[in-house]
């Protein structure tokens, strides 16, 4: 089981970690027990994965990176 985290902007230049909750937004970052647990299937030891790794370039764009810094234009 695992819990998913998210980043939120509290005010300009303040990024907070929060735990995702199903259907209710997110819980305070200091209370992981309030995050919705999710099942994750793991690979058998020795398993290899092949293929291209693609990083989402959208998240590196200036308007995304500067959103919480209060410098969005």
């Amino acid at each position: 089981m695992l819990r998913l985290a998210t980043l939120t902007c509290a005010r300009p230049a303040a990024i907070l970690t929060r735990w995702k909750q199903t259907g209710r937004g997110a819980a305070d970052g200091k209370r992981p027990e309030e995050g919705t647990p999710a099942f994750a299937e793991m690979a058998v030891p020795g398993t290899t994965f092949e293929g291209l790794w693609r990083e989402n370039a959208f998240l590196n764009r200036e308007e995304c990176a500067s959103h919480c810094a209060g410098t969005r234009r």
Side-chain angles (χ1 to χ4, degrees), residues 39-62:
F39 176 77
E41 187 173 337
M42 304 301 286
V44 176
T47 301
T48 60
F49 297 91
E50 296 181 16
L52 297 176
W53 171 263
R54 292 187 336 194
E55 194 171 320
N56 192 344
F58 172 79
L59 298 174
N60 293 325
R61 291 174 34 190
E62 180 185 349

Side-chain angles (χ1 to χ4, degrees), residues 2-4 18-37:
L2 56 92
R3 297 180 196 278
L4 299 177
R18 300 179 59 88
W19 296 102
K20 290 189 174 191
Q21 295 177 314
T22 302
R24 294 186 291 159
D28 184 78
K30 295 178 184 174
R31 298 190 315 258
E33 66 278 0
E34 292 187 17
T36 303

